[in-house]
Amino acid sequence: AQSVAQPEDQVNVAEGNPLTVKCTYSVSGNPYLFWYVQYPNRGLQFLLKYITGDNLVKGSYGFEAEFNKSQTSFHLKKPSALVSDSALYFCAVRDIGNYGQNFVFGPGTRLSVLP
Amino acid sequence: DTAVSQTPKYLVTQMGNDKSIKCEQNLGHDTMYWYKQDSKKFLKIMFSYNNKELIINETVPNRFSPKSPDKAHLNLHINSLELGDSAVYFCASSPWTSTQETQYFGPGTRLLVL
């Protein structure tokens, strides 16, 4: 079965500092990996995804994520955080070989960027 | 410019009532989904439809019944509402059921059962 872990409920970072939101996954086959962001009282917005190819994926709003197969991780990063990045971030995984499986979302990590 | 829309945005109702939430997407996508987000923000899929046909039905009480009149709409009907049904319900769509496709989410419907 697929699963996603986001080990930190909350991440606090000062504006201008680099940020990392961690994600590890478990699938039986090869994964497709996604990051979504949820702003207060809004739906989820797609940030980026890893399908194949370069392990470093660049996405919206200056975010990037690195796929590490040996560590089964897909951490989200940004070189310089903005106060407006404060939101709830979800990592999600899909098993490439498992057509019938849908997205499995992690529990979410709340990012607070302090001015 | 709303791609995936849901109505109503807020729904407050009494236990035992029956209610519906509507979802429409104007992206031309073939696949639509319903998710439930609980008070702890856990997000869990409930149903998935492809071209009006049910393809995923997770462990959801049969009080919940999705209805897809056409591939642009996926409505959620809930019978005999219970307190535990209080949550935010998100509709989503994707071009097709390929596992690499991004899902696009609606703004959510906040259901409160009293």
PDB file of all heavy atoms in Angstrom, chain B residues 6-8 11 18-23 33-36 46-47 49 60-61 63-69 73-79 89-91 109 111:
ATOM      1  N   GLN B   6     -17.548  24.691  -6.728  1.00  0.00           N
ATOM      2  CA  GLN B   6     -18.395  23.900  -5.851  1.00  0.00           C
ATOM      3  C   GLN B   6     -19.454  24.809  -5.257  1.00  0.00           C
ATOM      4  O   GLN B   6     -19.164  25.960  -4.911  1.00  0.00           O
ATOM      5  CB  GLN B   6     -17.584  23.305  -4.691  1.00  0.00           C
ATOM      6  CG  GLN B   6     -16.539  22.328  -5.078  1.00  0.00           C
ATOM      7  CD  GLN B   6     -15.749  21.815  -3.888  1.00  0.00           C
ATOM      8  OE1 GLN B   6     -14.525  21.783  -3.919  1.00  0.00           O
ATOM      9  NE2 GLN B   6     -16.428  21.408  -2.830  1.00  0.00           N
ATOM     10  N   THR B   7     -20.641  24.271  -5.078  1.00  0.00           N
ATOM     11  CA  THR B   7     -21.702  24.984  -4.365  1.00  0.00           C
ATOM     12  C   THR B   7     -22.439  24.018  -3.466  1.00  0.00           C
ATOM     13  O   THR B   7     -22.671  22.860  -3.831  1.00  0.00           O
ATOM     14  CB  THR B   7     -22.710  25.619  -5.351  1.00  0.00           C
ATOM     15  OG1 THR B   7     -23.190  24.604  -6.245  1.00  0.00           O
ATOM     16  CG2 THR B   7     -22.076  26.747  -6.135  1.00  0.00           C
ATOM     17  N   PRO B   8     -22.813  24.462  -2.269  1.00  0.00           N
ATOM     18  CA  PRO B   8     -22.504  25.778  -1.703  1.00  0.00           C
ATOM     19  C   PRO B   8     -21.100  25.835  -1.129  1.00  0.00           C
ATOM     20  O   PRO B   8     -20.426  24.817  -1.032  1.00  0.00           O
ATOM     21  CB  PRO B   8     -23.552  25.891  -0.591  1.00  0.00           C
ATOM     22  CG  PRO B   8     -23.723  24.488  -0.122  1.00  0.00           C
ATOM     23  CD  PRO B   8     -23.609  23.625  -1.362  1.00  0.00           C
ATOM     24  N   LEU B  11     -22.232  25.020   4.367  1.00  0.00           N
ATOM     25  CA  LEU B  11     -23.477  24.280   4.547  1.00  0.00           C
ATOM     26  C   LEU B  11     -23.610  23.913   6.017  1.00  0.00           C
ATOM     27  O   LEU B  11     -22.785  23.173   6.547  1.00  0.00           O
ATOM     28  CB  LEU B  11     -23.455  23.023   3.673  1.00  0.00           C
ATOM     29  CG  LEU B  11     -24.701  22.157   3.576  1.00  0.00           C
ATOM     30  CD1 LEU B  11     -25.923  22.970   3.194  1.00  0.00           C
ATOM     31  CD2 LEU B  11     -24.471  21.048   2.565  1.00  0.00           C
ATOM     32  N   ASP B  18     -30.854  15.396   4.724  1.00  0.00           N
ATOM     33  CA  ASP B  18     -30.201  14.996   3.480  1.00  0.00           C
ATOM     34  C   ASP B  18     -29.747  16.265   2.756  1.00  0.00           C
ATOM     35  O   ASP B  18     -30.525  17.222   2.647  1.00  0.00           O
ATOM     36  CB  ASP B  18     -31.175  14.241   2.569  1.00  0.00           C
ATOM     37  CG  ASP B  18     -31.762  13.006   3.219  1.00  0.00           C
ATOM     38  OD1 ASP B  18     -31.147  12.498   4.177  1.00  0.00           O
ATOM     39  OD2 ASP B  18     -32.830  12.554   2.770  1.00  0.00           O
ATOM     40  N   LYS B  19     -28.518  16.254   2.255  1.00  0.00           N
ATOM     41  CA  LYS B  19     -28.013  17.438   1.558  1.00  0.00           C
ATOM     42  C   LYS B  19     -27.176  17.014   0.358  1.00  0.00           C
ATOM     43  O   LYS B  19     -26.675  15.890   0.282  1.00  0.00           O
ATOM     44  CB  LYS B  19     -27.130  18.290   2.488  1.00  0.00           C
ATOM     45  CG  LYS B  19     -27.888  18.976   3.602  1.00  0.00           C
ATOM     46  CD  LYS B  19     -28.820  20.054   3.046  1.00  0.00           C
ATOM     47  CE  LYS B  19     -29.599  20.727   4.153  1.00  0.00           C
ATOM     48  NZ  LYS B  19     -30.581  21.707   3.623  1.00  0.00           N
ATOM     49  N   SER B  20     -27.029  17.967  -0.570  1.00  0.00           N
ATOM     50  CA  SER B  20     -26.198  17.726  -1.751  1.00  0.00           C
ATOM     51  C   SER B  20     -25.181  18.835  -1.931  1.00  0.00           C
ATOM     52  O   SER B  20     -25.450  19.997  -1.599  1.00  0.00           O
ATOM     53  CB  SER B  20     -27.072  17.652  -3.009  1.00  0.00           C
ATOM     54  OG  SER B  20     -27.866  16.499  -2.998  1.00  0.00           O
ATOM     55  N   ILE B  21     -24.036  18.466  -2.456  1.00  0.00           N
ATOM     56  CA  ILE B  21     -22.998  19.416  -2.837  1.00  0.00           C
ATOM     57  C   ILE B  21     -22.741  19.231  -4.333  1.00  0.00           C
ATOM     58  O   ILE B  21     -22.607  18.094  -4.802  1.00  0.00           O
ATOM     59  CB  ILE B  21     -21.683  19.171  -2.071  1.00  0.00           C
ATOM     60  CG1 ILE B  21     -21.927  19.143  -0.558  1.00  0.00           C
ATOM     61  CG2 ILE B  21     -20.667  20.246  -2.424  1.00  0.00           C
ATOM     62  CD1 ILE B  21     -20.709  18.707   0.241  1.00  0.00           C
ATOM     63  N   LYS B  22     -22.690  20.350  -5.031  1.00  0.00           N
ATOM     64  CA  LYS B  22     -22.507  20.276  -6.479  1.00  0.00           C
ATOM     65  C   LYS B  22     -21.080  20.649  -6.862  1.00  0.00           C
ATOM     66  O   LYS B  22     -20.458  21.499  -6.224  1.00  0.00           O
ATOM     67  CB  LYS B  22     -23.493  21.205  -7.182  1.00  0.00           C
ATOM     68  CG  LYS B  22     -24.939  20.786  -7.006  1.00  0.00           C
ATOM     69  CD  LYS B  22     -25.873  21.656  -7.816  1.00  0.00           C
ATOM     70  CE  LYS B  22     -27.303  21.169  -7.657  1.00  0.00           C
ATOM     71  NZ  LYS B  22     -28.256  21.983  -8.450  1.00  0.00           N
ATOM     72  N   CYS B  23     -20.596  20.019  -7.914  1.00  0.00           N
ATOM     73  CA  CYS B  23     -19.262  20.319  -8.424  1.00  0.00           C
ATOM     74  C   CYS B  23     -19.306  20.358  -9.946  1.00  0.00           C
ATOM     75  O   CYS B  23     -19.901  19.483 -10.591  1.00  0.00           O
ATOM     76  CB  CYS B  23     -18.249  19.273  -7.966  1.00  0.00           C
ATOM     77  SG  CYS B  23     -16.595  19.542  -8.643  1.00  0.00           S
ATOM     78  N   TYR B  33     -13.188  13.796  -8.848  1.00  0.00           N
ATOM     79  CA  TYR B  33     -12.962  13.162  -7.549  1.00  0.00           C
ATOM     80  C   TYR B  33     -13.709  13.925  -6.463  1.00  0.00           C
ATOM     81  O   TYR B  33     -13.927  15.119  -6.577  1.00  0.00           O
ATOM     82  CB  TYR B  33     -11.469  13.197  -7.188  1.00  0.00           C
ATOM     83  CG  TYR B  33     -10.517  12.740  -8.267  1.00  0.00           C
ATOM     84  CD1 TYR B  33     -10.152  13.604  -9.302  1.00  0.00           C
ATOM     85  CD2 TYR B  33      -9.958  11.469  -8.228  1.00  0.00           C
ATOM     86  CE1 TYR B  33      -9.260  13.187 -10.290  1.00  0.00           C
ATOM     87  CE2 TYR B  33      -9.065  11.052  -9.210  1.00  0.00           C
ATOM     88  CZ  TYR B  33      -8.724  11.919 -10.233  1.00  0.00           C
ATOM     89  OH  TYR B  33      -7.834  11.515 -11.210  1.00  0.00           O
ATOM     90  N   TRP B  34     -13.978  13.212  -5.375  1.00  0.00           N
ATOM     91  CA  TRP B  34     -14.395  13.847  -4.132  1.00  0.00           C
ATOM     92  C   TRP B  34     -13.432  13.440  -3.024  1.00  0.00           C
ATOM     93  O   TRP B  34     -13.109  12.251  -2.877  1.00  0.00           O
ATOM     94  CB  TRP B  34     -15.817  13.446  -3.725  1.00  0.00           C
ATOM     95  CG  TRP B  34     -16.871  14.268  -4.383  1.00  0.00           C
ATOM     96  CD1 TRP B  34     -17.735  13.876  -5.357  1.00  0.00           C
ATOM     97  CD2 TRP B  34     -17.185  15.632  -4.100  1.00  0.00           C
ATOM     98  NE1 TRP B  34     -18.545  14.914  -5.717  1.00  0.00           N
ATOM     99  CE2 TRP B  34     -18.234  16.007  -4.955  1.00  0.00           C
ATOM    100  CE3 TRP B  34     -16.677  16.588  -3.211  1.00  0.00           C
ATOM    101  CZ2 TRP B  34     -18.795  17.277  -4.953  1.00  0.00           C
ATOM    102  CZ3 TRP B  34     -17.224  17.853  -3.211  1.00  0.00           C
ATOM    103  CH2 TRP B  34     -18.269  18.191  -4.062  1.00  0.00           C
ATOM    104  N   TYR B  35     -12.994  14.447  -2.252  1.00  0.00           N
ATOM    105  CA  TYR B  35     -12.130  14.237  -1.102  1.00  0.00           C
ATOM    106  C   TYR B  35     -12.810  14.805   0.146  1.00  0.00           C
ATOM    107  O   TYR B  35     -13.566  15.769   0.069  1.00  0.00           O
ATOM    108  CB  TYR B  35     -10.797  14.982  -1.265  1.00  0.00           C
ATOM    109  CG  TYR B  35      -9.841  14.386  -2.251  1.00  0.00           C
ATOM    110  CD1 TYR B  35      -9.920  14.693  -3.609  1.00  0.00           C
ATOM    111  CD2 TYR B  35      -8.833  13.525  -1.831  1.00  0.00           C
ATOM    112  CE1 TYR B  35      -9.020  14.152  -4.515  1.00  0.00           C
ATOM    113  CE2 TYR B  35      -7.930  12.981  -2.724  1.00  0.00           C
ATOM    114  CZ  TYR B  35      -8.029  13.306  -4.070  1.00  0.00           C
ATOM    115  OH  TYR B  35      -7.135  12.769  -4.970  1.00  0.00           O
ATOM    116  N   LYS B  36     -12.455  14.224   1.292  1.00  0.00           N
ATOM    117  CA  LYS B  36     -12.905  14.749   2.577  1.00  0.00           C
ATOM    118  C   LYS B  36     -11.675  15.178   3.368  1.00  0.00           C
ATOM    119  O   LYS B  36     -10.710  14.407   3.496  1.00  0.00           O
ATOM    120  CB  LYS B  36     -13.683  13.678   3.350  1.00  0.00           C
ATOM    121  CG  LYS B  36     -14.177  14.123   4.714  1.00  0.00           C
ATOM    122  CD  LYS B  36     -14.933  12.991   5.416  1.00  0.00           C
ATOM    123  CE  LYS B  36     -15.426  13.440   6.784  1.00  0.00           C
ATOM    124  NZ  LYS B  36     -16.149  12.331   7.501  1.00  0.00           N
ATOM    125  N   MET B  46     -12.599   9.964  -1.511  1.00  0.00           N
ATOM    126  CA  MET B  46     -13.849   9.244  -1.304  1.00  0.00           C
ATOM    127  C   MET B  46     -14.256   8.490  -2.573  1.00  0.00           C
ATOM    128  O   MET B  46     -14.548   7.305  -2.546  1.00  0.00           O
ATOM    129  CB  MET B  46     -14.954  10.224  -0.921  1.00  0.00           C
ATOM    130  CG  MET B  46     -14.670  11.015   0.337  1.00  0.00           C
ATOM    131  SD  MET B  46     -15.904  12.299   0.608  1.00  0.00           S
ATOM    132  CE  MET B  46     -17.330  11.325   1.018  1.00  0.00           C
ATOM    133  N   PHE B  47     -14.323   9.225  -3.677  1.00  0.00           N
ATOM    134  CA  PHE B  47     -14.790   8.659  -4.947  1.00  0.00           C
ATOM    135  C   PHE B  47     -13.966   9.222  -6.102  1.00  0.00           C
ATOM    136  O   PHE B  47     -13.425  10.315  -6.027  1.00  0.00           O
ATOM    137  CB  PHE B  47     -16.259   9.034  -5.216  1.00  0.00           C
ATOM    138  CG  PHE B  47     -17.227   8.594  -4.173  1.00  0.00           C
ATOM    139  CD1 PHE B  47     -17.711   9.503  -3.248  1.00  0.00           C
ATOM    140  CD2 PHE B  47     -17.661   7.285  -4.109  1.00  0.00           C
ATOM    141  CE1 PHE B  47     -18.616   9.116  -2.278  1.00  0.00           C
ATOM    142  CE2 PHE B  47     -18.558   6.882  -3.148  1.00  0.00           C
ATOM    143  CZ  PHE B  47     -19.032   7.800  -2.224  1.00  0.00           C
ATOM    144  N   TYR B  49     -14.534   9.352 -10.488  1.00  0.00           N
ATOM    145  CA  TYR B  49     -15.349   9.052 -11.663  1.00  0.00           C
ATOM    146  C   TYR B  49     -14.560   9.366 -12.919  1.00  0.00           C
ATOM    147  O   TYR B  49     -13.896  10.399 -13.004  1.00  0.00           O
ATOM    148  CB  TYR B  49     -16.623   9.912 -11.667  1.00  0.00           C
ATOM    149  CG  TYR B  49     -17.824   9.262 -11.040  1.00  0.00           C
ATOM    150  CD1 TYR B  49     -17.891   9.088  -9.671  1.00  0.00           C
ATOM    151  CD2 TYR B  49     -18.890   8.840 -11.811  1.00  0.00           C
ATOM    152  CE1 TYR B  49     -18.993   8.480  -9.086  1.00  0.00           C
ATOM    153  CE2 TYR B  49     -19.993   8.245 -11.242  1.00  0.00           C
ATOM    154  CZ  TYR B  49     -20.048   8.070  -9.878  1.00  0.00           C
ATOM    155  OH  TYR B  49     -21.137   7.483  -9.305  1.00  0.00           O
ATOM    156  N   VAL B  60     -16.439   4.285   2.233  1.00  0.00           N
ATOM    157  CA  VAL B  60     -17.286   5.425   2.566  1.00  0.00           C
ATOM    158  C   VAL B  60     -18.675   4.872   2.871  1.00  0.00           C
ATOM    159  O   VAL B  60     -19.148   3.977   2.163  1.00  0.00           O
ATOM    160  CB  VAL B  60     -17.356   6.405   1.379  1.00  0.00           C
ATOM    161  CG1 VAL B  60     -18.305   7.545   1.657  1.00  0.00           C
ATOM    162  CG2 VAL B  60     -15.975   6.953   1.039  1.00  0.00           C
ATOM    163  N   PRO B  61     -19.331   5.371   3.921  1.00  0.00           N
ATOM    164  CA  PRO B  61     -20.692   4.882   4.200  1.00  0.00           C
ATOM    165  C   PRO B  61     -21.604   5.043   2.994  1.00  0.00           C
ATOM    166  O   PRO B  61     -21.472   5.994   2.218  1.00  0.00           O
ATOM    167  CB  PRO B  61     -21.143   5.791   5.361  1.00  0.00           C
ATOM    168  CG  PRO B  61     -19.881   6.265   5.985  1.00  0.00           C
ATOM    169  CD  PRO B  61     -18.871   6.380   4.888  1.00  0.00           C
ATOM    170  N   ARG B  63     -24.352   6.080   2.860  1.00  0.00           N
ATOM    171  CA  ARG B  63     -25.159   7.308   2.930  1.00  0.00           C
ATOM    172  C   ARG B  63     -24.644   8.360   1.934  1.00  0.00           C
ATOM    173  O   ARG B  63     -25.342   9.310   1.606  1.00  0.00           O
ATOM    174  CB  ARG B  63     -25.088   7.909   4.340  1.00  0.00           C
ATOM    175  CG  ARG B  63     -25.651   7.016   5.435  1.00  0.00           C
ATOM    176  CD  ARG B  63     -25.586   7.692   6.800  1.00  0.00           C
ATOM    177  NE  ARG B  63     -24.223   7.927   7.246  1.00  0.00           N
ATOM    178  CZ  ARG B  63     -23.613   9.111   7.242  1.00  0.00           C
ATOM    179  NH1 ARG B  63     -24.242  10.179   6.788  1.00  0.00           N
ATOM    180  NH2 ARG B  63     -22.384   9.225   7.694  1.00  0.00           N
ATOM    181  N   PHE B  64     -23.399   8.171   1.495  1.00  0.00           N
ATOM    182  CA  PHE B  64     -22.794   9.081   0.527  1.00  0.00           C
ATOM    183  C   PHE B  64     -22.978   8.494  -0.871  1.00  0.00           C
ATOM    184  O   PHE B  64     -22.555   7.359  -1.129  1.00  0.00           O
ATOM    185  CB  PHE B  64     -21.290   9.251   0.800  1.00  0.00           C
ATOM    186  CG  PHE B  64     -20.983  10.010   2.043  1.00  0.00           C
ATOM    187  CD1 PHE B  64     -21.042   9.400   3.287  1.00  0.00           C
ATOM    188  CD2 PHE B  64     -20.624  11.350   1.991  1.00  0.00           C
ATOM    189  CE1 PHE B  64     -20.765  10.100   4.452  1.00  0.00           C
ATOM    190  CE2 PHE B  64     -20.326  12.058   3.142  1.00  0.00           C
ATOM    191  CZ  PHE B  64     -20.407  11.435   4.376  1.00  0.00           C
ATOM    192  N   SER B  65     -23.597   9.239  -1.740  1.00  0.00           N
ATOM    193  CA  SER B  65     -23.803   8.734  -3.097  1.00  0.00           C
ATOM    194  C   SER B  65     -23.405   9.810  -4.104  1.00  0.00           C
ATOM    195  O   SER B  65     -24.041  10.872  -4.170  1.00  0.00           O
ATOM    196  CB  SER B  65     -25.245   8.298  -3.307  1.00  0.00           C
ATOM    197  OG  SER B  65     -26.141   9.323  -2.967  1.00  0.00           O
ATOM    198  N   PRO B  66     -22.385   9.545  -4.892  1.00  0.00           N
ATOM    199  CA  PRO B  66     -22.004  10.477  -5.954  1.00  0.00           C
ATOM    200  C   PRO B  66     -22.899  10.282  -7.167  1.00  0.00           C
ATOM    201  O   PRO B  66     -23.362   9.177  -7.441  1.00  0.00           O
ATOM    202  CB  PRO B  66     -20.564  10.073  -6.249  1.00  0.00           C
ATOM    203  CG  PRO B  66     -20.504   8.629  -5.910  1.00  0.00           C
ATOM    204  CD  PRO B  66     -21.503   8.380  -4.823  1.00  0.00           C
ATOM    205  N   LYS B  67     -23.093  11.385  -7.877  1.00  0.00           N
ATOM    206  CA  LYS B  67     -23.887  11.310  -9.108  1.00  0.00           C
ATOM    207  C   LYS B  67     -23.220  12.173 -10.167  1.00  0.00           C
ATOM    208  O   LYS B  67     -22.915  13.334  -9.914  1.00  0.00           O
ATOM    209  CB  LYS B  67     -25.327  11.786  -8.862  1.00  0.00           C
ATOM    210  CG  LYS B  67     -26.149  10.803  -8.049  1.00  0.00           C
ATOM    211  CD  LYS B  67     -27.576  11.252  -7.869  1.00  0.00           C
ATOM    212  CE  LYS B  67     -28.439  10.174  -7.217  1.00  0.00           C
ATOM    213  NZ  LYS B  67     -27.863   9.639  -5.976  1.00  0.00           N
ATOM    214  N   SER B  68     -23.020  11.597 -11.338  1.00  0.00           N
ATOM    215  CA  SER B  68     -22.348  12.303 -12.416  1.00  0.00           C
ATOM    216  C   SER B  68     -23.259  12.365 -13.631  1.00  0.00           C
ATOM    217  O   SER B  68     -23.287  11.440 -14.448  1.00  0.00           O
ATOM    218  CB  SER B  68     -21.030  11.604 -12.762  1.00  0.00           C
ATOM    219  OG  SER B  68     -20.326  12.317 -13.756  1.00  0.00           O
ATOM    220  N   PRO B  69     -24.013  13.466 -13.797  1.00  0.00           N
ATOM    221  CA  PRO B  69     -24.921  13.568 -14.943  1.00  0.00           C
ATOM    222  C   PRO B  69     -24.188  13.696 -16.271  1.00  0.00           C
ATOM    223  O   PRO B  69     -24.720  13.291 -17.315  1.00  0.00           O
ATOM    224  CB  PRO B  69     -25.738  14.827 -14.636  1.00  0.00           C
ATOM    225  CG  PRO B  69     -24.895  15.607 -13.683  1.00  0.00           C
ATOM    226  CD  PRO B  69     -24.103  14.608 -12.903  1.00  0.00           C
ATOM    227  N   HIS B  73     -19.654  17.338 -14.425  1.00  0.00           N
ATOM    228  CA  HIS B  73     -20.307  17.483 -13.128  1.00  0.00           C
ATOM    229  C   HIS B  73     -20.174  16.208 -12.308  1.00  0.00           C
ATOM    230  O   HIS B  73     -20.337  15.100 -12.831  1.00  0.00           O
ATOM    231  CB  HIS B  73     -21.805  17.793 -13.302  1.00  0.00           C
ATOM    232  CG  HIS B  73     -22.077  19.097 -13.970  1.00  0.00           C
ATOM    233  ND1 HIS B  73     -22.082  19.252 -15.343  1.00  0.00           N
ATOM    234  CD2 HIS B  73     -22.331  20.330 -13.442  1.00  0.00           C
ATOM    235  CE1 HIS B  73     -22.332  20.517 -15.625  1.00  0.00           C
ATOM    236  NE2 HIS B  73     -22.491  21.187 -14.508  1.00  0.00           N
ATOM    237  N   LEU B  74     -19.879  16.400 -11.031  1.00  0.00           N
ATOM    238  CA  LEU B  74     -19.901  15.282 -10.093  1.00  0.00           C
ATOM    239  C   LEU B  74     -20.472  15.814  -8.786  1.00  0.00           C
ATOM    240  O   LEU B  74     -19.812  16.562  -8.079  1.00  0.00           O
ATOM    241  CB  LEU B  74     -18.502  14.702  -9.862  1.00  0.00           C
ATOM    242  CG  LEU B  74     -18.458  13.514  -8.900  1.00  0.00           C
ATOM    243  CD1 LEU B  74     -19.272  12.342  -9.437  1.00  0.00           C
ATOM    244  CD2 LEU B  74     -17.012  13.077  -8.641  1.00  0.00           C
ATOM    245  N   ASN B  75     -21.699  15.436  -8.500  1.00  0.00           N
ATOM    246  CA  ASN B  75     -22.380  15.912  -7.303  1.00  0.00           C
ATOM    247  C   ASN B  75     -22.300  14.857  -6.211  1.00  0.00           C
ATOM    248  O   ASN B  75     -22.180  13.660  -6.484  1.00  0.00           O
ATOM    249  CB  ASN B  75     -23.842  16.235  -7.631  1.00  0.00           C
ATOM    250  CG  ASN B  75     -23.948  17.253  -8.767  1.00  0.00           C
ATOM    251  OD1 ASN B  75     -23.133  18.164  -8.866  1.00  0.00           O
ATOM    252  ND2 ASN B  75     -24.932  17.082  -9.630  1.00  0.00           N
ATOM    253  N   LEU B  76     -22.348  15.331  -4.973  1.00  0.00           N
ATOM    254  CA  LEU B  76     -22.273  14.427  -3.824  1.00  0.00           C
ATOM    255  C   LEU B  76     -23.534  14.596  -2.995  1.00  0.00           C
ATOM    256  O   LEU B  76     -23.819  15.691  -2.501  1.00  0.00           O
ATOM    257  CB  LEU B  76     -21.045  14.757  -2.979  1.00  0.00           C
ATOM    258  CG  LEU B  76     -20.774  13.840  -1.791  1.00  0.00           C
ATOM    259  CD1 LEU B  76     -20.456  12.429  -2.257  1.00  0.00           C
ATOM    260  CD2 LEU B  76     -19.607  14.393  -0.951  1.00  0.00           C
ATOM    261  N   HIS B  77     -24.276  13.503  -2.861  1.00  0.00           N
ATOM    262  CA  HIS B  77     -25.485  13.531  -2.057  1.00  0.00           C
ATOM    263  C   HIS B  77     -25.237  12.756  -0.768  1.00  0.00           C
ATOM    264  O   HIS B  77     -24.662  11.660  -0.804  1.00  0.00           O
ATOM    265  CB  HIS B  77     -26.660  12.916  -2.822  1.00  0.00           C
ATOM    266  CG  HIS B  77     -27.958  13.103  -2.127  1.00  0.00           C
ATOM    267  ND1 HIS B  77     -28.631  14.306  -2.113  1.00  0.00           N
ATOM    268  CD2 HIS B  77     -28.699  12.242  -1.392  1.00  0.00           C
ATOM    269  CE1 HIS B  77     -29.743  14.179  -1.400  1.00  0.00           C
ATOM    270  NE2 HIS B  77     -29.801  12.948  -0.957  1.00  0.00           N
ATOM    271  N   ILE B  78     -25.641  13.352   0.346  1.00  0.00           N
ATOM    272  CA  ILE B  78     -25.423  12.705   1.640  1.00  0.00           C
ATOM    273  C   ILE B  78     -26.764  12.548   2.342  1.00  0.00           C
ATOM    274  O   ILE B  78     -27.478  13.542   2.576  1.00  0.00           O
ATOM    275  CB  ILE B  78     -24.472  13.525   2.537  1.00  0.00           C
ATOM    276  CG1 ILE B  78     -23.265  14.029   1.732  1.00  0.00           C
ATOM    277  CG2 ILE B  78     -24.004  12.671   3.711  1.00  0.00           C
ATOM    278  CD1 ILE B  78     -22.402  15.030   2.485  1.00  0.00           C
ATOM    279  N   ASN B  79     -27.107  11.331   2.663  1.00  0.00           N
ATOM    280  CA  ASN B  79     -28.353  11.042   3.391  1.00  0.00           C
ATOM    281  C   ASN B  79     -28.093  10.947   4.888  1.00  0.00           C
ATOM    282  O   ASN B  79     -27.000  10.571   5.319  1.00  0.00           O
ATOM    283  CB  ASN B  79     -28.949   9.715   2.916  1.00  0.00           C
ATOM    284  CG  ASN B  79     -29.510   9.801   1.517  1.00  0.00           C
ATOM    285  OD1 ASN B  79     -30.019  10.834   1.103  1.00  0.00           O
ATOM    286  ND2 ASN B  79     -29.398   8.716   0.774  1.00  0.00           N
ATOM    287  N   TYR B  89     -15.279  19.334   2.193  1.00  0.00           N
ATOM    288  CA  TYR B  89     -15.329  18.411   1.065  1.00  0.00           C
ATOM    289  C   TYR B  89     -14.792  19.116  -0.174  1.00  0.00           C
ATOM    290  O   TYR B  89     -15.251  20.203  -0.535  1.00  0.00           O
ATOM    291  CB  TYR B  89     -16.760  17.910   0.842  1.00  0.00           C
ATOM    292  CG  TYR B  89     -17.235  17.036   1.972  1.00  0.00           C
ATOM    293  CD1 TYR B  89     -17.764  17.599   3.138  1.00  0.00           C
ATOM    294  CD2 TYR B  89     -17.106  15.650   1.919  1.00  0.00           C
ATOM    295  CE1 TYR B  89     -18.160  16.808   4.195  1.00  0.00           C
ATOM    296  CE2 TYR B  89     -17.512  14.846   2.974  1.00  0.00           C
ATOM    297  CZ  TYR B  89     -18.028  15.429   4.106  1.00  0.00           C
ATOM    298  OH  TYR B  89     -18.414  14.646   5.158  1.00  0.00           O
ATOM    299  N   PHE B  90     -13.806  18.482  -0.791  1.00  0.00           N
ATOM    300  CA  PHE B  90     -13.187  19.053  -1.985  1.00  0.00           C
ATOM    301  C   PHE B  90     -13.494  18.191  -3.191  1.00  0.00           C
ATOM    302  O   PHE B  90     -13.348  16.973  -3.161  1.00  0.00           O
ATOM    303  CB  PHE B  90     -11.664  19.132  -1.831  1.00  0.00           C
ATOM    304  CG  PHE B  90     -11.205  20.194  -0.892  1.00  0.00           C
ATOM    305  CD1 PHE B  90     -10.802  19.871   0.394  1.00  0.00           C
ATOM    306  CD2 PHE B  90     -11.157  21.520  -1.285  1.00  0.00           C
ATOM    307  CE1 PHE B  90     -10.364  20.852   1.277  1.00  0.00           C
ATOM    308  CE2 PHE B  90     -10.723  22.508  -0.419  1.00  0.00           C
ATOM    309  CZ  PHE B  90     -10.332  22.171   0.866  1.00  0.00           C
ATOM    310  N   CYS B  91     -13.867  18.867  -4.245  1.00  0.00           N
ATOM    311  CA  CYS B  91     -13.991  18.238  -5.550  1.00  0.00           C
ATOM    312  C   CYS B  91     -12.698  18.511  -6.315  1.00  0.00           C
ATOM    313  O   CYS B  91     -12.043  19.549  -6.108  1.00  0.00           O
ATOM    314  CB  CYS B  91     -15.188  18.859  -6.267  1.00  0.00           C
ATOM    315  SG  CYS B  91     -15.479  18.252  -7.929  1.00  0.00           S
ATOM    316  N   THR B 109     -16.202  22.824   0.184  1.00  0.00           N
ATOM    317  CA  THR B 109     -17.499  23.086   0.816  1.00  0.00           C
ATOM    318  C   THR B 109     -17.375  22.714   2.276  1.00  0.00           C
ATOM    319  O   THR B 109     -17.046  21.576   2.607  1.00  0.00           O
ATOM    320  CB  THR B 109     -18.613  22.251   0.162  1.00  0.00           C
ATOM    321  OG1 THR B 109     -18.776  22.663  -1.187  1.00  0.00           O
ATOM    322  CG2 THR B 109     -19.924  22.420   0.921  1.00  0.00           C
ATOM    323  N   LEU B 111     -18.903  21.789   5.521  1.00  0.00           N
ATOM    324  CA  LEU B 111     -20.144  21.223   6.036  1.00  0.00           C
ATOM    325  C   LEU B 111     -20.078  21.141   7.548  1.00  0.00           C
ATOM    326  O   LEU B 111     -19.129  20.579   8.105  1.00  0.00           O
ATOM    327  CB  LEU B 111     -20.363  19.822   5.441  1.00  0.00           C
ATOM    328  CG  LEU B 111     -21.508  19.002   6.025  1.00  0.00           C
ATOM    329  CD1 LEU B 111     -22.858  19.664   5.748  1.00  0.00           C
ATOM    330  CD2 LEU B 111     -21.493  17.582   5.479  1.00  0.00           C
TER     331      LEU B 111
END
